[in-house]
């Protein structure tokens, strides 16, 4: 594989990859194929017997991703059983994608987009056109990720290395409001690796090492994992990952400055089972990241980020999981981001607006600490032939933001302060023969304050879902229809409410605080279809399809607006710089609607998947003026195909994704990406992976990173080669 040491561009790169895949396919086709239900798991990725049993119950004749139990589910549902728009990404998929950054883990998940700009290590998730300031709840092992820093790009980011992640669950829309306050867009839950998934049943200990090289942004990843089973009721796992990458090149062959980074990440997790029906998981996930921020192609700031996530999750049930299925999750998440200027910088004083020069070595600090507790119980019982799953609980999240530094100003743009958000809810799922009804009610309360101001509010948010499975014939027995109405409530963030001071660079103008902001209320109507069928063309195959149409009215939607001092009642004063002001204000509504599809067919010897999402949206002012919503992502269609050979030891395949330009985006264009992969389990202890992303070297930009004047181009063709060695005994 010596050609990976050179730079490959354009047609020669595509031809080289095509030749390699053709060779792999030729070898594979010369061997007998196997018709097993699932591909052999990667080295060290073994699923414990209890989870296997649950999944077999969900799919007796065939298994697909939509049959996997959702970790995020509070009632033990699989994605295909859920009367909501839910998706699951498992370990096999994650390994196949060879993700370097979090956005690559979510490829093809309908309704989900990511914004990572050139820095790549800081990621924001967009669901159905909603993102930032907690509209999408991002959770790692039960810990809310609430870090926020004011910038021209995305506002709310999180940090998790893909190498540490076992699975990702996504629930779209405010039906996810049992998972915490504010999630009017949805929830994304990252579940990290466990010892039980790594160790083989007969092993006491196990270890693995992985090395990977990437051609674009030349660099690599080194990862080491170790696990130990002290006894049948206690095990532990540790993982350490180091990534080091240079600036990448876009599809036009141009180097994108400021895209290199190095990351050191780690995971420690232990599981203790005090009794047959109880389990305690204690975990730590940490990272130390570094990169340079560039302006005009010149590095101007050195960035150092440290993140530490501490979690404790306890579950206890009665013998039959009937009246008692109690979960207690606690977490503390601390993120520290430090900026150090590399060169003298011309700035404007945040108070006076007068020009100043910040010397090299000036610092800015952003410290965000988030504490949380989440408690719920599910009771299962029957009354009059109707099965009930009654879930009730409460949660609290507290954010403590501290900003400062010798550079000055950052405490204005990302204000220091405290925010507390709490809630309680009750939800009952009733099942009778062909009918399912879910009724829920959530109460939310919030308060936020700085040294001089304080604001608060509360609200009740309902949910009602009705699902019917009206058919009994063989071909239609797996068809289910559902309809949902759900509301969610998001309190304003500290930044939206308290931001102040003058714009720091380029031109200056005032930021105005707005302590009178009203919370957002998301009101979503959704109609969906679930379909599952086994043994369609041959014994053991499986087809799963989920589709949904949604319409979301977000009342009192919050967005930034530009004000004129000449407009009566604007509150915008005349000051230094250009005659405008910036302020977060409420809009009467944001209207967002769309369609989502997710389907997969798996026959053991191969699989095919298709997903699609179309999202449209606009804001409406209190005067009735409509405007395009800047956070609407590309409409997408993603097709996936994989073939398994050599008794499932070899998998080859690829992905094709079409991205359609969002309405009103000035810099976005339509584009199509083609990816290819091959994975070979050479022995029980050696696995080799190859992947080619953006095979045809397309030059494209993520529309979420666009503005009226600039586009940040994504990586061109990227070739990845990795090997994993495993040991155990």
């Amino acid at each position: 594989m010596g050609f990976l040491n050179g730079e490959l561009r354009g047609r020669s790169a595509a031809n080289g990859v095509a030749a390699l895949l053709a060779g792999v396919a030729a070898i594979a086709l010369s061997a007998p194929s196997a018709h097993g239900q699932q591909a052999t798991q990667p080295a060290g990725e073994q699923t414990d017997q209890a989870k296997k049993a649950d999944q077999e119950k969900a799919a007796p004749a065939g298994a697909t991703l939509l049959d996997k139990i959702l970790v995020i589910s509070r009632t033990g549902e699989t994605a295909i059983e859920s009367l909501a728009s839910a998706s699951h990404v498992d370990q096999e998929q994650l390994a196949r994608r060879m993700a370097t950054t979090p956005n690559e883990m979510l490829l093809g998940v309908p309704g989900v987009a990511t914004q990572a700009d050139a820095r790549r290590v800081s990621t924001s998730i967009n669901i159905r056109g909603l993102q930032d300031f907690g509209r999408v709840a991002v959770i790692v092992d039960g810990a809310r990720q609430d870090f926020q820093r004011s910038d021209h790009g995305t506002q709310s980011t999180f940090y998790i290395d893909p190498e540490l992640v076992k699975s990702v669950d996504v629930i779209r829309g405010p039906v996810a409001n049992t998972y915490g306050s504010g999630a009017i867009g949805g929830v994304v839950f990252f579940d990290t690796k466990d010892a039980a998934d790594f160790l083989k049943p007969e092993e006491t200990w196990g270890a693995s090492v992985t090395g990977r090289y990437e051609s674009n942004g030349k660099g690599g990843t080194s990862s080491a994992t170790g696990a130990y089973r002290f006894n049948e009721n206690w095990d532990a796992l540790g993982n350490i990952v180091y990534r080091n990458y240079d600036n990448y090149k876009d599809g036009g062959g141009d180097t994108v400055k400021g895209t290199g980074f190095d990351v050191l990440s780690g995971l420690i997790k232990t599981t203790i089972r005090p009794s047959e029906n109880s389990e305690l998981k204690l975990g730590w996930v940490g990272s130390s990241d570094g990169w340079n921020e560039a302006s005009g192609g010149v590095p101007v700031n050195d960035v150092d980020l440290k993140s530490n996530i501490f979690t404790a999750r306890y579950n206890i049930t009665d013998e039959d999981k009937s009246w008692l299925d109690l979960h207690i999750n606690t977490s503390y998440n601390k993120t520290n981001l430090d900026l150090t200027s590399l060169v003298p910088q011309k700035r404007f004083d945040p108070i006076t607006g007068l020009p100043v020069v910040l010397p090299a070595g000036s610092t800015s600090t952003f410290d965000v600490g988030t504490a949380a507790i989440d408690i719920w119980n599910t009771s299962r019982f029957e009354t009059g032939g109707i099965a009930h799953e009654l879930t009730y609980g409460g949660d609290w999240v507290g954010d403590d933001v501290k900003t400062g530094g010798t550079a000055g100003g950052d405490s204005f743009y990302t204000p220091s302060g405290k925010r507390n958000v709490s809630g309680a809810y009750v939800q009952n799922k009733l099942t009778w023969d062909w009918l399912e009804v879910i009724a829920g009610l959530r109460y939310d309360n919030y308060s936020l304050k700085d040294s001089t101001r304080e604001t608060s509010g509360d609200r009740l948010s309902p949910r009602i879902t009705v699902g019917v499975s009206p058919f009994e014939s063989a071909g239609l027995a797996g068809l289910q229809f559902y309809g949902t109405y759900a509301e969610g409530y998001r309190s304003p963030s500290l930044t939206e409410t308290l931001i102040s001071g003058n714009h720091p660079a380029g031109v200056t103008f005032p930021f105005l605080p707005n302590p009178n902001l009203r919370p957002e209320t998301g009101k979503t109507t959704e109609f969906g279809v679930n379909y599952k069928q086994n043994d369609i063309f041959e014994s053991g195959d499986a087809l799963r399809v989920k589709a949904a149409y949604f319409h979301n009215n977000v009342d009192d939607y919050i967005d930034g607006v530009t004000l004129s001092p000449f407009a009566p009642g604007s509150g915008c004063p005349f000051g230094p710089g250009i005659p405008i002001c910036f302020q977060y204000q409420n809009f009467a509504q944001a209207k967002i609607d769309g369609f989502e599809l997710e389907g997969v067919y798996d026959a053991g010897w191969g699989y095919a998947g298709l997903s699609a999402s179309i999202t449209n949206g606009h804001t409406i002012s209190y005067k009735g003026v409509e405007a395009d919503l800047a956070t609407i992502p590309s409409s997408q269609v993603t097709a996936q195909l994989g073939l398994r050979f050599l008794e499932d030891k070899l998998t080859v395949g690829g992905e094709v994704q079409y991205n359609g330009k969002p309405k009103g985006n000035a810099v976005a264009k339509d584009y199509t990406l083609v990816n290819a992969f091959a994975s070979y389990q050479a022995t029980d202890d050696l696995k080799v992976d190859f992947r080619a992303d953006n095979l045809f070297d397309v030059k494209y930009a993520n529309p979420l990173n666009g503005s009226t004047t600039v586009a940040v181009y994504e990586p061109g063709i990227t070739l990845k080669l990795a090997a994993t060695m495993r040991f155990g005994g």
Side-chain angles (χ1 to χ4, degrees):
M1 305 296 290
F3 64 86
L4 287 175
N5 294 323
E7 294 181 7
L8 301 179
R9 306 251 36 106
R11 182 174 299 178
S12 62
N15 290 341
V17 176
L20 174 65
L21 290 176
V24 172
I27 295 171
L29 290 171
S30 67
S33 62
H35 291 252
Q37 282 192 9
Q38 291 185 334
T40 301
Q41 292 178 323
E45 300 302 332
Q46 302 293 326
T47 308
D48 68 287
Q49 298 302 315
K51 291 181 181 177
K52 281 184 179 179
D54 285 340
Q55 291 170 10
E56 285 169 3
K57 289 180 183 178
T64 74
L65 282 172
L66 292 174
D67 292 300
K68 302 295 179 70
I69 293 174
L70 297 166
V71 176
I72 198 173
S73 172
R74 307 228 147 161
T75 53
E77 295 173 321
T78 65
I80 195 63
E81 295 169 338
S82 175
L83 298 181
S85 294
S87 299
H88 177 82
V89 183
D90 72 351
Q91 183 60 54
E92 184 183 346
Q93 269 194 320
L94 293 173
R96 196 158 55 229
R97 290 172 185 174
M98 301 177 69
T100 303
T101 56
N103 59 304
E104 294 170 323
M105 291 190 283
L106 296 166
L107 173 72
V109 177
V112 178
T114 59
Q115 185 177 1
D117 61 40
R119 291 188 287 271
R120 295 204 287 170
V121 296
S122 55
T123 304
S124 176
I125 295 181
N126 179 304
I127 296 182
R128 294 179 170 178
L130 294 173
Q131 74 177 91
D132 285 339
F133 301 122
R135 294 184 178 101
V136 174
V138 178
I139 302 173
V140 176
D141 284 349
R144 283 282 291 256
Q145 307 298 296
D146 284 353
F147 181 77
Q148 187 271 324
R149 170 195 168 197
S150 297
D151 203 352
H152 282 286
T154 181
Q155 301 292 312
S156 302
T157 55
F158 70 99
Y159 305 85
I160 182 69
D161 195 286
E163 191 71 15
L164 309 179
V165 176
K166 176 178 64 178
S167 65
V168 187
D169 287 342
V170 178
I171 296 181
R172 297 177 283 279
V175 295
N177 63 15
T178 57
Y179 306 99
S181 180
I184 60 174
V187 175
V188 180
F189 191 105
F190 294 88
D191 193 32
T192 61
K193 296 177 179 178
D194 287 287
D197 302 293
F198 184 81
L199 293 171
K200 297 177 182 179
E202 71 279 4
E203 288 181 334
T204 300
W205 65 273
S208 72
V209 291
T210 298
R212 190 167 92 200
Y213 174 79
E214 297 188 23
S215 65
N216 193 355
K218 292 179 182 178
T221 298
S222 302
S223 174
T225 304
Y228 190 80
R229 182 178 285 121
F230 300 95
N231 55 53
E232 62 180 10
N233 294 319
W234 182 21
D235 53 46
L237 176 140
N239 190 313
I240 186 168
V241 185
Y242 178 66
R243 300 183 188 270
N244 193 323
Y245 293 93
D246 201 352
N247 295 330
Y248 66 71
K249 293 186 177 182
D250 63 25
D254 298 318
T255 299
V256 182
K257 299 289 184 66
T259 57
F261 64 92
D262 64 87
V263 178
L264 179 65
S265 301
L267 162 69
I268 299 174
K269 196 172 186 180
T270 185
T271 302
I272 304 169
R273 302 167 189 86
S275 67
E276 185 178 350
N277 299 320
S278 63
E279 182 178 78
L280 173 65
K281 290 180 181 286
L282 303 174
W284 165 82
V285 178
S287 65
S288 177
D289 303 350
W291 67 93
N292 286 336
E293 289 186 340
S295 177
V298 177
V300 294
N301 290 315
D302 177 70
V303 184
D304 180 64
L305 180 135
K306 290 180 172 58
S307 173
N308 289 280
I309 303 170
F310 301 92
T311 57
R313 294 186 284 172
Y314 179 68
N315 172 225
I316 184 170
T317 72
D318 55 32
E319 188 170 344
D320 300 319
K321 284 191 177 181
S322 56
W323 289 95
L324 181 67
D325 189 1
L326 176 66
H327 297 256
I328 303 174
N329 294 354
T330 61
S331 64
Y332 180 71
N333 179 21
K334 181 74 167 179
T335 303
N336 309 99
L337 187 146
D338 297 332
L339 295 179
T340 303
S341 60
L342 299 173
V343 296
Q345 298 180 35
K346 295 181 180 180
R347 301 280 292 272
F348 296 99
D349 185 275
I351 299 176
T352 66
L354 298 177
V356 296
V357 176
L358 297 180
S362 299
T363 61
S364 301
T365 61
F366 304 82
D367 296 341
V368 179
T370 300
I373 184 168
D374 187 6
I375 302 174
W376 77 92
N377 184 62
T378 298
S379 298
R380 299 171 176 87
F381 56 94
E382 288 192 9
T383 59
I386 299 175
H388 298 259
E389 288 183 279
L390 181 65
T391 303
Y392 42 94
D395 47 70
W396 169 84
V397 177
D399 293 326
D400 187 1
V401 180
K402 298 178 181 178
T403 58
T406 60
D410 291 313
S411 58
F412 290 84
Y413 315 129
T414 304
S416 298
K418 294 184 178 182
R419 185 181 74 144
N420 291 288
V421 179
S422 59
Y425 58 87
V426 59
Q427 175 180 287
N428 194 10
K429 178 181 178 181
L430 302 91
T431 305
W432 176 78
D433 196 14
W434 49 268
L435 176 67
E436 291 184 40
V437 177
I438 301 173
L441 188 66
R442 179 181 174 89
Y443 170 76
D444 285 296
N445 177 279
Y446 81 93
S447 67
L448 60 86
K449 63 180 179 180
D450 65 1
S451 58
T452 60
R453 291 160 290 194
E454 183 173 357
T455 184
S456 61
D458 62 353
R459 190 179 190 276
L460 285 171
S461 300
R463 174 201 177 176
I464 182 71
T465 299
V466 178
V468 295
S469 304
F471 303 109
E472 296 182 358
S473 62
L476 298 176
L479 186 61
Q480 184 179 45
F481 301 93
Y482 70 87
T484 289
Y485 177 78
E487 296 184 3
Y489 180 74
R490 185 189 76 89
S491 64
S493 69
L494 287 165
T495 291
E496 291 169 308
T497 306
L498 304 176
I499 188 172
S500 63
N502 286 283
H503 188 267
V507 295
T508 190
F509 54 85
F511 293 105
L512 302 182
N514 190 353
N516 297 317
L517 277 178
R518 291 179 295 278
E520 296 175 343
T521 303
K523 301 177 179 179
T524 292
T525 303
E526 181 175 318
F527 299 97
V529 178
N530 297 333
Y531 181 70
K532 60 180 179 179
Q533 193 64 245
N534 300 325
D535 304 326
I536 301 170
F537 301 112
E538 59 183 75
S539 176
D541 68 358
L543 174 66
R544 304 289 185 262
V545 179
K546 288 180 72 76
Y549 166 81
F550 67 90
H551 180 80
N552 189 2
N553 285 338
V554 183
D555 292 344
D556 297 316
Y557 181 78
I558 300 171
D559 202 2
V561 299
T562 300
L563 306 173
S564 169
F566 303 104
S570 70
C572 178
F574 284 95
I578 59 176
I580 63 169
C581 296
F582 179 90
Q583 186 181 49
Y584 286 100
Q585 293 189 355
N586 290 108
F587 286 72
Q589 281 187 331
K591 287 182 173 290
I592 306 172
D593 57 20
F595 171 80
E596 296 162 352
L597 169 71
E598 184 174 17
V600 60
Y601 172 79
D602 198 318
W605 51 266
Y607 67 89
L610 181 68
S611 63
S613 57
I614 300 171
T615 307
N616 294 296
H618 59 271
T619 58
I620 304 175
S621 72
Y622 290 104
K623 295 181 179 180
V625 178
E626 295 187 7
D628 294 324
L629 190 59
T631 54
I632 296 298
S634 296
S635 295
Q636 291 185 342
V637 178
T638 305
Q640 303 182 55
L641 178 66
L643 300 173
R644 303 176 180 124
F645 307 100
L646 301 175
E647 297 181 339
D648 291 351
K649 292 180 180 180
L650 174 65
T651 304
V652 296
E655 302 128 3
V656 178
Q657 184 182 81
Y658 168 77
N659 294 263
K661 173 183 176 179
K663 180 183 177 183
N665 192 300
V667 300
K669 297 180 180 179
D670 297 352
Y671 61 93
T672 300
L673 301 178
V674 179
N675 309 320
F677 63 85
S679 178
Y680 181 50
Q681 188 80 46
T683 69
D684 288 343
D685 297 323
L686 173 63
K687 182 171 179 283
V688 179
D689 291 286
F690 172 78
R691 185 173 177 89
D693 286 325
N694 194 1
L695 188 59
F696 295 105
D697 215 14
V698 176
K699 185 174 182 178
Y700 71 101
N702 183 342
L704 295 177
N705 285 331
S707 69
T708 56
T709 58
V710 67
V712 178
Y713 289 103
E714 300 295 324
I717 184 170
T718 304
L719 307 180
K720 303 177 181 180
L721 178 65
T724 300
M725 283 290 298
R726 190 189 186 284
F727 315 91

Coordinates of all heavy atoms in Angstrom, one line a residue, residues 332-370:
Y332 N -21.2 15.0 35.9 CA -20.6 16.4 35.9 C -19.6 16.5 34.7 O -18.8 15.6 34.5 CB -19.8 16.6 37.2 CG -19.2 18.0 37.2 CD1 -20.0 19.1 37.4 CD2 -17.8 18.2 37.1 CE1 -19.4 20.4 37.4 CE2 -17.2 19.4 37.1 CZ -18.1 20.6 37.3 OH -17.5 21.8 37.3
N333 N -19.8 17.6 34.0 CA -19.0 17.8 32.7 C -18.4 19.1 32.8 O -19.0 20.1 33.0 CB -20.0 17.7 31.5 CG -19.3 17.9 30.2 OD1 -18.1 17.8 30.1 ND2 -20.1 18.4 29.2
K334 N -17.0 19.1 32.7 CA -16.3 20.4 32.8 C -15.5 20.6 31.5 O -14.7 19.7 31.1 CB -15.3 20.3 34.0 CG -14.5 21.6 34.2 CD -15.3 22.7 34.7 CE -14.4 23.8 35.2 NZ -15.1 25.0 35.7
T335 N -15.7 21.7 30.8 CA -14.9 22.0 29.6 C -14.2 23.3 29.8 O -14.8 24.3 30.1 CB -15.9 22.1 28.4 OG1 -16.6 20.8 28.3 CG2 -15.1 22.3 27.1
N336 N -12.9 23.3 29.5 CA -12.1 24.5 29.6 C -11.4 24.8 28.2 O -10.7 23.9 27.7 CB -11.0 24.4 30.7 CG -11.5 23.9 32.0 OD1 -11.4 22.7 32.3 ND2 -12.0 24.8 32.8
L337 N -11.7 25.9 27.7 CA -11.1 26.3 26.4 C -10.3 27.6 26.6 O -10.8 28.6 27.1 CB -12.1 26.5 25.3 CG -11.6 26.7 23.9 CD1 -12.6 26.1 22.9 CD2 -11.5 28.2 23.6
D338 N -9.0 27.5 26.3 CA -8.1 28.7 26.4 C -7.5 29.1 25.1 O -7.1 28.3 24.3 CB -6.9 28.3 27.3 CG -7.3 28.0 28.7 OD1 -8.4 28.5 29.2 OD2 -6.6 27.2 29.4
L339 N -7.6 30.4 24.8 CA -7.1 31.0 23.6 C -5.8 31.8 24.0 O -5.9 32.6 24.9 CB -8.1 32.0 22.9 CG -9.4 31.4 22.3 CD1 -10.2 32.5 21.8 CD2 -9.1 30.4 21.3
T340 N -4.8 31.7 23.2 CA -3.6 32.5 23.3 C -3.2 33.1 22.0 O -3.0 32.4 21.0 CB -2.4 31.7 23.9 OG1 -2.7 31.0 25.1 CG2 -1.2 32.5 24.1
S341 N -3.2 34.4 21.9 CA -2.9 35.1 20.6 C -1.5 34.8 20.2 O -0.5 35.0 21.0 CB -3.2 36.6 20.7 OG -2.4 37.2 21.7
L342 N -1.3 34.5 18.9 CA 0.0 34.2 18.4 C 0.7 35.4 17.8 O 1.9 35.5 17.7 CB -0.1 33.1 17.3 CG -0.6 31.8 17.8 CD1 -0.8 30.8 16.6 CD2 0.3 31.1 18.8
V343 N -0.1 36.4 17.4 CA 0.4 37.6 16.8 C -0.4 38.8 17.4 O -1.5 38.7 18.0 CB 0.2 37.6 15.3 CG1 1.0 36.5 14.7 CG2 -1.3 37.5 14.9
P344 N 0.2 40.0 17.4 CA -0.6 41.2 17.8 C -1.8 41.3 17.0 O -1.8 41.1 15.8 CB 0.4 42.4 17.6 CG 1.8 41.8 17.6 CD 1.6 40.4 17.0
Q345 N -2.9 41.7 17.6 CA -4.2 41.8 16.9 C -4.9 43.1 17.2 O -4.9 43.6 18.3 CB -5.1 40.6 17.4 CG -4.6 39.2 17.2 CD -5.6 38.2 17.7 OE1 -6.8 38.3 17.6 NE2 -5.0 37.1 18.2
K346 N -5.4 43.7 16.1 CA -6.1 44.9 16.2 C -7.5 44.6 16.6 O -8.2 43.8 16.0 CB -6.1 45.7 14.9 CG -4.8 46.2 14.4 CD -4.8 46.9 13.1 CE -3.5 47.4 12.7 NZ -3.5 48.2 11.4
R347 N -8.0 45.1 17.7 CA -9.3 44.9 18.3 C -10.0 46.2 18.6 O -9.4 47.3 18.5 CB -9.2 44.0 19.5 CG -8.5 42.6 19.3 CD -9.4 41.6 18.7 NE -10.5 41.2 19.5 CZ -10.4 40.2 20.4 NH1 -9.3 39.5 20.5 NH2 -11.4 39.9 21.2
F348 N -11.2 46.1 19.1 CA -11.9 47.2 19.6 C -12.3 46.9 21.1 O -12.7 45.8 21.4 CB -13.2 47.5 18.8 CG -13.0 47.9 17.4 CD1 -13.1 46.9 16.4 CD2 -12.7 49.2 17.1 CE1 -12.9 47.3 15.1 CE2 -12.5 49.5 15.7 CZ -12.6 48.6 14.7
D349 N -12.1 47.9 21.9 CA -12.4 47.8 23.3 C -13.9 47.4 23.5 O -14.8 48.1 22.9 CB -12.1 49.1 24.1 CG -12.3 48.9 25.5 OD1 -13.4 49.1 26.0 OD2 -11.3 48.6 26.2
P350 N -14.2 46.4 24.3 CA -15.6 46.0 24.4 C -16.5 47.1 25.0 O -17.8 47.0 24.8 CB -15.6 44.7 25.2 CG -14.3 44.9 26.0 CD -13.3 45.6 25.1
I351 N -16.0 48.0 25.8 CA -16.8 49.0 26.5 C -16.8 50.3 25.7 O -17.9 50.8 25.4 CB -16.2 49.2 27.9 CG1 -16.3 47.9 28.7 CG2 -17.0 50.3 28.6 CD1 -15.7 48.0 30.1
T352 N -15.7 50.8 25.3 CA -15.6 52.1 24.6 C -15.8 52.0 23.1 O -16.2 52.9 22.5 CB -14.3 52.8 24.9 OG1 -13.2 52.1 24.3 CG2 -14.1 52.9 26.4
G353 N -15.4 50.8 22.5 CA -15.5 50.7 21.1 C -14.3 51.3 20.4 O -14.2 51.3 19.2
L354 N -13.3 51.8 21.2 CA -12.1 52.4 20.6 C -11.1 51.4 20.2 O -11.0 50.3 20.8 CB -11.5 53.4 21.6 CG -12.4 54.6 22.0 CD1 -11.7 55.5 23.0 CD2 -12.8 55.4 20.8
P355 N -10.3 51.7 19.1 CA -9.3 50.7 18.7 C -8.2 50.4 19.7 O -7.8 51.4 20.4 CB -8.7 51.4 17.4 CG -9.7 52.4 17.0 CD -10.3 52.9 18.2
V356 N -7.8 49.2 19.9 CA -6.8 48.8 20.8 C -6.0 47.7 20.0 O -6.4 47.1 19.1 CB -7.3 48.2 22.1 CG1 -8.0 49.3 22.9 CG2 -8.2 47.0 21.9
V357 N -4.7 47.5 20.5 CA -3.9 46.4 20.0 C -3.6 45.4 21.1 O -3.0 45.8 22.1 CB -2.6 46.9 19.4 CG1 -1.7 45.8 18.9 CG2 -2.9 47.9 18.2
L358 N -4.0 44.2 20.9 CA -3.7 43.1 21.9 C -2.4 42.5 21.6 O -2.2 42.0 20.4 CB -4.8 42.1 21.8 CG -6.2 42.5 22.2 CD1 -7.2 41.3 22.1 CD2 -6.3 43.1 23.6
P359 N -1.4 42.5 22.5 CA -0.1 42.0 22.2 C -0.2 40.4 22.1 O -1.1 39.8 22.6 CB 0.7 42.4 23.4 CG -0.3 42.6 24.5 CD -1.6 43.1 23.9
A360 N 0.8 39.9 21.4 CA 0.9 38.4 21.3 C 1.0 37.9 22.7 O 1.7 38.5 23.6 CB 2.1 38.0 20.5
G361 N 0.4 36.8 23.0 CA 0.4 36.2 24.3 C -0.8 36.5 25.1 O -1.0 36.0 26.2
S362 N -1.7 37.4 24.6 CA -3.0 37.7 25.3 C -3.8 36.5 25.4 O -3.9 35.7 24.4 CB -3.7 38.8 24.6 OG -2.9 40.0 24.6
T363 N -4.6 36.3 26.5 CA -5.4 35.1 26.7 C -6.8 35.4 26.8 O -7.2 36.5 27.3 CB -4.9 34.3 27.9 OG1 -5.0 35.2 29.1 CG2 -3.4 33.9 27.8
S364 N -7.6 34.4 26.5 CA -9.1 34.4 26.7 C -9.4 33.0 27.3 O -8.9 32.0 26.8 CB -9.9 34.7 25.5 OG -9.6 36.0 24.9
T365 N -10.3 32.9 28.2 CA -10.7 31.7 28.8 C -12.2 31.5 28.8 O -12.9 32.4 29.1 CB -10.1 31.5 30.3 OG1 -10.7 32.6 31.1 CG2 -8.6 31.7 30.3
F366 N -12.6 30.2 28.6 CA -14.0 29.9 28.6 C -14.1 28.6 29.4 O -13.6 27.5 29.0 CB -14.5 29.6 27.2 CG -14.3 30.7 26.2 CD1 -13.1 30.9 25.6 CD2 -15.4 31.6 26.0 CE1 -13.0 32.0 24.7 CE2 -15.2 32.7 25.1 CZ -14.0 32.8 24.4
D367 N -14.7 28.7 30.6 CA -14.9 27.5 31.5 C -16.4 27.3 31.7 O -17.1 28.2 32.2 CB -14.2 27.7 32.8 CG -12.7 27.9 32.7 OD1 -12.2 27.5 31.7 OD2 -12.1 28.4 33.7
V368 N -16.9 26.1 31.3 CA -18.3 25.7 31.4 C -18.4 24.4 32.2 O -17.8 23.4 31.8 CB -19.0 25.6 30.1 CG1 -20.4 25.2 30.3 CG2 -18.9 26.9 29.3
G369 N -19.1 24.5 33.3 CA -19.3 23.3 34.1 C -20.8 23.0 34.1 O -21.6 23.9 34.3
T370 N -21.1 21.7 33.9 CA -22.5 21.3 33.8 C -22.7 20.1 34.8 O -22.1 19.0 34.6 CB -23.0 20.9 32.4 OG1 -22.8 22.0 31.5 CG2 -24.4 20.4 32.4

